[in-house]
């Protein structure tokens, strides 16, 4: 039995992890489950899977969770700030990190410090602290397993290959809901339109990031760290059938394909190095009439260009990029700012912040909180 500590168990990735474990109850048990505000879901998950600990991020719901789980022997904790300590203090074999936001960084670090593998669905870990985290993993001989479909694809393409033979990674992007929208209409985009992704069903924050292509920018930065500082390119592939590719030194290209369903990469992160039988939907090539590719529009999708620039600059700039985006997207979802103001606010933060080239985790988190305050102030000027 492998003991899993699942962070973010009520989100869309977390729910999928639970569904897969339900099919493989002989292989896994949960020792910890955490949620931010969906306390009722957390309680019913806890009653079903009987972990040793649960944590509810929002302290307003702590009493509800405590009374619902009274007499079960499950220990209840609260507040997101306690996640890292709880990870440090709990015994497990694999940390499955599907937290959204910068709050996911420290729990990953704590798990690696204990030489425990991390299945990483939290983007911010590698976006803001990639260099530090991957060095720590190497030092502690722990593995960071990709969960995102693009990185899982590259990971699968690289099995049995030597790192020195990679020429470049090619990350595919669906292009989001505004791929064909004229550039001059981008400022009119509404929250409802931005939340309507053509191929994937995901949480709100990541759906907006997919509409701005910031999500793709983050994925390029993550890939750069995951796979050892290699060249990464983005190509728009609207059908989302090829999940990413690797080009090797002899000119050969490998791709990984599948129906756009997160269950496949999530299961692979759990089953690695094996594959398990599944009843997931299969590809039917007789029904696929075309696979197309195009160059991304970097001017229309300014967020993607900003992310690539920050990857080149490195240091604290990716931390600023991420934090500014998080606050700007939050305000866009509350209809406080326009869609096109998201990259404007990010760019302003990048230009204003005090850059540090080789930050440690503390400095990265400092840049993060400086940026949050800066962007909030900027937004209050607009509203
Ligand atoms: Mg992805």
């Amino acid at each position: 039995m492998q003991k899993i500590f699942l962070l973010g168990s009520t989100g869309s990735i977390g729910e999928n992890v639970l569904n897969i474990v339900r099919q493989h109850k002989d292989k896994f048990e949960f020792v910890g489950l955490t949620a931010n505000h969906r306390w009722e879901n957390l309680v019913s998950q806890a009653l079903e899977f009987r972990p040793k600990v649960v944590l509810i991020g929002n302290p307003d719901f702590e009493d509800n969770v405590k009374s619902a789980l009274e007499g079960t022997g499950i220990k209840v904790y609260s507040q997101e700030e306690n996640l890292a300590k709880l990870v440090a203090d709990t015994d497990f074999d694999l940390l499955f990190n599907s937290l959204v936001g910068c709050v996911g960084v420290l729990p990953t670090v704590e798990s690696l410090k204990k030489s425990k593998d991390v299945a990483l669905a939290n983007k911010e870990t590698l976006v803001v602290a990639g260099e530090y985290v991957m060095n720590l993993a190497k030092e502690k001989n722990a593995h960071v397993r990709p969960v995102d479909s693009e990185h899982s694809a590259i990971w699968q393409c690289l099995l049995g290959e030597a790192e020195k033979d990679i020429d470049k990674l090619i990350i595919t992007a669906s292009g989001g809901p505004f791929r064909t929208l004229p550039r001059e209409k981008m400022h009119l985009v509404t929250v409802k339109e931005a939340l309507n992704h053509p191929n994937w069903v995901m949480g709100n924050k990541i759906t907006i990031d997919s509409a701005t292509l910031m999500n793709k920018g983050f994925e390029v930065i993550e890939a750069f760290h995951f796979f050892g500082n290699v060249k990464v390119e983005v190509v728009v592939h609207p059908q989302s059938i090829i999940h990413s590719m690797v080009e090797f030194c002899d000119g050969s290209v490998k791709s990984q394909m599948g129906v756009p369903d997160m269950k496949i990469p999530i299961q692979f992160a759990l089953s690695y190095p094996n594959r398990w039988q599944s009843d997931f939907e299969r590809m039917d090539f007789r029904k696929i009439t075309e696979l197309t590719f195009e160059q991304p529009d970097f001017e229309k999708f300014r967020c993607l260009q900003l992310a690539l620039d920050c990857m080149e600059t490195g240091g604290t700039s990716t931390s600023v990029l991420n934090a500014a985006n998080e606050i700007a997207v939050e305000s866009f979802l509350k209809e406080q700012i326009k869609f096109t103001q998201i990259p404007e606010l990010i760019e302003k933060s990048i230009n204003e912040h005090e850059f540090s080239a080789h930050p440690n985790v503390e400095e990265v988190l400092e840049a993060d909180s400086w940026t949050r305050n800066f962007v909030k102030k900027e937004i209050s000027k607009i509203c």
Side-chain angles (χ1 to χ4, degrees):
M1 283 293 250
Q2 265 207 74
K3 288 182 262 188
I4 304 183
F5 196 147
L6 172 59
L7 307 178
S9 62
T10 60
S12 78
I13 300 278
E15 294 269 10
N16 273 318
V17 176
L18 296 181
N19 282 333
I20 290 162
V21 169
R22 271 191 196 98
Q23 312 284 315
H24 299 277
K25 277 190 171 152
D26 53 322
K27 300 184 183 82
F28 295 111
E29 61 176 328
F30 288 109
V31 292
L33 297 172
T34 80
N36 185 26
H37 58 276
R38 295 192 189 112
W39 71 271
E40 281 158 313
N41 297 20
L42 180 67
V43 164
S44 66
Q45 292 173 354
L47 291 173
E48 180 184 352
F49 291 97
R50 300 282 165 160
K52 293 198 167 55
V53 297
V54 298
L55 183 145
I56 182 79
N58 187 332
D60 295 347
F61 303 127
E62 186 181 358
D63 289 342
N64 300 8
V65 177
K66 272 191 174 150
S67 65
L69 296 180
E70 207 181 309
T72 59
I74 300 168
K75 281 196 183 146
V76 178
Y77 297 84
S78 80
Q79 304 201 17
E80 279 188 330
E81 300 78 67
N82 295 326
L83 278 167
K85 186 171 183 329
L86 192 58
V87 167
D89 294 345
T90 307
D91 177 45
F92 59 85
D93 302 308
L94 175 72
L95 182 75
F96 205 113
N97 185 347
S98 49
L99 294 170
V100 176
C102 225
V103 67
V105 178
L106 288 177
T108 302
V109 168
E110 289 304 328
S111 179
L112 294 175
K113 276 186 184 165
K114 300 204 290 185
S115 299
K116 299 295 178 192
D117 283 11
V118 180
L120 190 61
N122 173 257
K123 306 216 157 212
E124 289 75 6
T125 295
L126 292 188
V127 171
V128 311
E131 191 182 309
Y132 175 86
V133 165
M134 294 311 287
N135 283 341
L136 180 65
K138 207 181 255 175
E139 181 196 321
K140 297 289 179 182
N141 203 15
H143 291 113
V144 184
R145 306 182 192 172
V147 174
D148 207 357
S149 61
E150 292 79 2
H151 306 100
S152 180
I154 293 168
W155 188 31
Q156 294 179 57
C157 291
L158 288 177
L159 293 176
E161 302 284 356
E163 214 175 273
K164 66 170 179 48
D165 295 337
I166 306 170
D167 252 12
K168 66 179 174 199
L169 312 178
I170 304 158
I171 295 213
T172 53
S174 70
F178 309 124
R179 185 174 62 89
T180 56
L181 188 75
R183 201 177 293 167
E184 60 278 7
K185 291 203 171 151
M186 289 289 276
H187 70 286
L188 299 171
V189 162
T190 65
V191 171
K192 200 176 158 218
E193 287 164 344
L195 285 177
N196 187 20
H197 195 275
N199 301 347
W200 297 94
V201 180
M202 305 169 288
N204 280 356
K205 157 78 168 51
I206 185 173
T207 306
I208 301 299
D209 288 345
S210 300
T212 60
L213 295 203
M214 180 57 96
N215 181 55
K216 209 46 61 180
F218 287 158
E219 287 175 357
V220 171
I221 299 170
E222 286 180 274
F224 174 77
H225 293 298
F226 255 132
F227 304 106
N229 304 4
V230 287
K231 192 175 170 207
V232 192
E233 254 176 36
V234 178
V235 64
V236 174
H237 165 49
Q239 296 82 16
S240 294
I241 295 296
I242 292 181
H243 298 312
S244 279
M245 301 178 256
V246 180
E247 188 181 304
F248 295 95
C249 56
D250 59 358
S252 180
V253 179
K254 270 187 178 177
S255 73
Q256 186 265 346
M257 301 187 218
V259 288
D261 181 348
M262 280 307 292
K263 286 200 283 293
I264 301 173
I266 290 170
Q267 175 162 306
F268 189 68
L270 292 168
S271 71
Y272 175 82
N274 303 305
R275 288 188 189 274
W276 297 333
Q277 187 64 40
S278 86
D279 58 3
F280 307 151
E281 191 191 335
R282 298 298 155 116
M283 296 275 295
D284 183 349
F285 283 95
R286 293 163 304 183
K287 289 186 184 151
I288 296 169
T289 51
E290 58 175 4
L291 295 178
T292 60
F293 305 93
E294 58 196 68
Q295 167 87 358
D297 183 340
F298 291 100
E299 261 178 70
K300 187 164 97 178
F301 296 104
R302 183 84 192 120
C303 284
L304 178 59
Q305 184 63 57
L306 289 170
L308 298 183
D309 293 347
C310 286
M311 181 180 76
E312 288 291 319
T313 319
T316 41
S317 67
T318 53
S319 178
V320 174
L321 173 86
N322 173 69
N325 180 62
E326 213 169 297
I327 301 298
V329 169
E330 214 175 273
S331 308
F332 172 70
L333 282 167
K334 288 182 195 154
E335 298 180 330
Q336 292 169 334
I337 62 167
K338 284 184 200 163
F339 191 69
T340 42
Q341 282 176 312
I342 298 173
E344 285 171 20
L345 286 161
I346 298 168
E347 193 162 8
K348 204 160 189 186
S349 318
I350 294 168
N351 293 336
E352 294 286 322
H353 103 283
E354 224 169 279
F355 175 73
S356 159
H358 297 287
N360 58 27
V361 162
E362 286 75 26
E363 287 170 307
V364 153
L365 296 177
E366 245 167 61
D368 176 89
S369 67
W370 175 87
T371 309
R372 280 163 205 273
N373 287 331
F374 178 80
V375 178
K376 278 177 193 164
K377 266 187 225 148
E378 290 297 311
I379 290 169
S380 69
K381 286 184 206 162
I382 302 168
C383 300

